[in-house]
Amino acid sequence: MNVKLENRVQHYRTVWMEGDVVRMIDQPKIPHSFEILELHDYKETGMAIRNMNIRGAGAIGATAGYAMAQAVLHAPKDDYGKLVGYVEEAAGYIRSMRPTAQNLFYAVDKVLDAVYGADNPEAAVISAIKTAQGIADEDADSCKRIGEHGEKLIKDGYRILTHCNAGWLAFVDYGSALSPIYVADEKGKKVFVYADETRPRLQGARLTAWELGQQGIEHKIIADNVSGWIMQLGMVDMVIVGSDRIAANGDVANKIGTYEKAVLAKENRIPFYVAAPTSTIDLDSKSGKDIPIEERDEDEVLYVRGYCNSTGKMEKVRVSPKDSHALNLAFDVTPAKYIKGIITEKGIIKPNKKSIAKLFK
Ligand code: MRU
């Protein structure tokens, strides 16, 4: 998407690779500064996933694909067997970076299959780079299509609630939940967005608000506990969220707090949609119970990070008693019964086993 910098507008993807260097927009710096991070090997790129310099299912997937390509580029080239051993070790490392986003595993497996399909080191390098690039391009293309399908659900004047950030920063380009909103805006529909702030890492208050501002979409950030009340007051026409992993039965894992928005939406008869590319669907997870839920460092809850006007720097401030501990679960699962539809690049489907299986035929 286009980013408005001080005196110019430039198109950026969230993550890309040049030679053997992976470059990405450094997300913890947004909205206070716009910086590009450079990662020189698969270990550095993997740590950027773990530390959430890049986050969001599609962006994590593309980054994992590039990290695998870096591993293949740096693997020993004198013997194909040695190369495969090196790349398999890298695959294990990259897989261990974050557990919930299906796109990470999708990308690692795709590049690994490309390496297995080659029979010599040179062919493995060419195939791995092509596959990693293909994963990133496919992600951007799928999100563009999600926008075109999802836009049809949005009526002029709609007030839409979203949770976390499932915009272009969470993918290679366009986004999932925000993509239909961007297309609706392009088509001249008036859209207003309520962005849940999304404690503890505030992806809504920082990233979604920044993206919407860049796109010129009217919005307000709301504290996470406001949504139920504004739904009851009739101030929300529709909810669209993204997903990190969708089970074969239509249960959806997404940022912690999504489940309660879905229950509240149903209670208030507001349509609740999930937008995600098919690379987020995991047929091996029969239901949401099979989806691993990430638990992150308690400090993310015990402290808040933000830009300090007086020092001009990002600062970390403790908000809770010194001796208190926190439970920091990063995702939850919304049962399929709360979801009106899943917006994919192949169309809008019902969240059930039959419709999901059909996507892969
Ligand atoms: O922890 P994050 O920021 O990687 O989680 C991302 C989300 O859960 C978003 O809600 C998003 O909808 C799913 S990824 C596009």
Side-chain angles (χ1 to χ4, degrees):
M1 296 293 267
N2 289 332
V3 179
K4 291 183 198 112
L5 301 167
E6 263 154 40
N7 47 13
R8 68 201 152 94
V9 175
Q10 192 169 322
H11 182 268
Y12 275 94
R13 279 189 164 192
T14 304
V15 58
W16 65 100
M17 186 162 158
E18 287 167 31
D20 65 349
V21 178
V22 173
R23 293 194 166 86
M24 59 180 62
I25 296 171
D26 195 5
Q27 300 199 25
K29 304 260 168 63
I30 288 182
H32 309 296
S33 69
F34 185 85
E35 291 175 34
I36 303 302
L37 195 61
E38 292 189 356
L39 296 318
H40 299 93
D41 59 38
Y42 80 81
K43 289 198 172 158
E44 280 186 14
T45 306
M47 284 318 278
I49 295 175
R50 172 165 291 170
N51 296 332
M52 294 178 68
N53 298 95
I54 192 142
R55 33 64 52 200
I60 290 173
T63 306
Y66 287 141
M68 285 292 287
Q70 282 179 312
V72 180
L73 277 162
H74 298 156
K77 302 289 182 310
D78 53 329
D79 175 77
Y80 175 66
K82 271 201 230 159
L83 177 140
V84 171
Y86 182 95
V87 174
E88 283 176 341
E89 200 180 310
Y93 172 86
I94 298 161
R95 280 198 190 101
S96 72
M97 292 297 108
R98 290 192 75 189
T100 305
Q102 170 62 12
N103 303 59
L104 184 153
F105 304 95
Y106 170 85
V108 170
D109 289 346
K110 261 197 143 175
V111 180
L112 207 49
D113 283 347
V115 171
Y116 292 147
D119 54 7
N120 65 73
E122 292 70 36
V125 168
I126 293 168
S127 184
I129 294 172
K130 196 169 162 221
T131 306
Q133 196 50 52
I135 292 165
D137 293 344
E138 175 194 80
D139 184 78
D141 185 61
S142 295
C143 286
K144 189 164 188 276
R145 284 168 203 273
I146 285 171
E148 288 157 5
H149 292 299
E151 176 272 332
K152 298 188 182 82
L153 300 167
I154 299 174
K155 295 201 180 118
D156 189 33
Y158 256 22
R159 297 151 303 171
I160 301 172
L161 183 126
T162 190
H163 191 66
C164 193
N165 171 262
W168 65 268
L169 286 167
F171 290 86
V172 174
D173 212 341
Y174 301 100
S176 59
L178 298 189
S179 187
I181 293 170
Y182 296 148
V183 178
D185 175 67
E186 268 162 35
K187 291 202 168 172
K189 292 180 189 171
K190 195 169 158 45
V191 190
F192 182 91
V193 178
Y194 289 109
D196 287 337
E197 62 174 348
T198 319
R199 281 274 295 149
R201 291 191 63 108
L202 302 170
Q203 289 95 328
R206 296 187 304 105
L207 308 177
T208 298
W210 180 79
E211 264 197 57
L212 294 169
Q214 287 279 327
Q215 293 295 122
I217 311 250
E218 237 193 296
H219 63 280
K220 270 193 179 153
I221 299 162
I222 52 171
D224 286 328
N225 38 14
V226 170
S227 51
W229 179 235
I230 62 172
M231 285 187 200
Q232 203 187 118
L233 292 176
M235 292 165 67
V236 177
D237 300 298
M238 180 187 200
V239 181
I240 317 182
V241 298
S243 172
D244 296 85
R245 195 184 295 219
I246 299 174
N249 71 343
D251 291 348
V252 164
N254 194 46
K255 182 53 57 195
I256 193 78
T258 301
Y259 166 52
E260 58 192 56
K261 310 301 162 203
V263 176
L264 286 163
K266 190 161 183 117
E267 168 72 15
N268 290 284
R269 294 194 179 81
I270 295 164
F272 182 95
Y273 284 94
V274 172
T278 49
S279 50
T280 299
I281 298 173
D282 174 22
L283 297 178
D284 291 336
S285 290
K286 300 284 169 249
S287 78
K289 290 198 178 75
D290 300 320
I291 299 177
I293 299 295
E294 179 178 17
E295 185 173 348
R296 294 187 61 87
D297 196 300
E298 65 171 1
D299 279 6
E300 292 183 349
V301 175
L302 298 173
Y303 292 80
V304 285
R305 280 184 89 250
Y307 180 79
C308 175
N309 275 339
S310 49
T311 63
K313 284 194 208 139
M314 293 296 288
E315 306 280 0
K316 194 172 153 186
V317 181
R318 181 154 185 130
V319 284
S320 7
K322 218 164 66 307
D323 299 326
S324 292
H325 290 283
L327 173 65
N328 185 14
L329 298 174
F331 300 97
D332 60 25
V333 174
T334 299
K337 67 176 179 182
Y338 293 106
I339 300 164
K340 172 120 188 183
I342 302 177
I343 311 165
T344 76
E345 74 277 17
K346 297 185 180 175
I348 303 167
I349 61 152
K350 290 268 168 242
N352 60 45
K353 206 171 154 190
K354 203 168 143 202
S355 312
I356 288 177
K358 242 168 99 180
L359 290 173
F360 297 92
K361 286 207 171 113

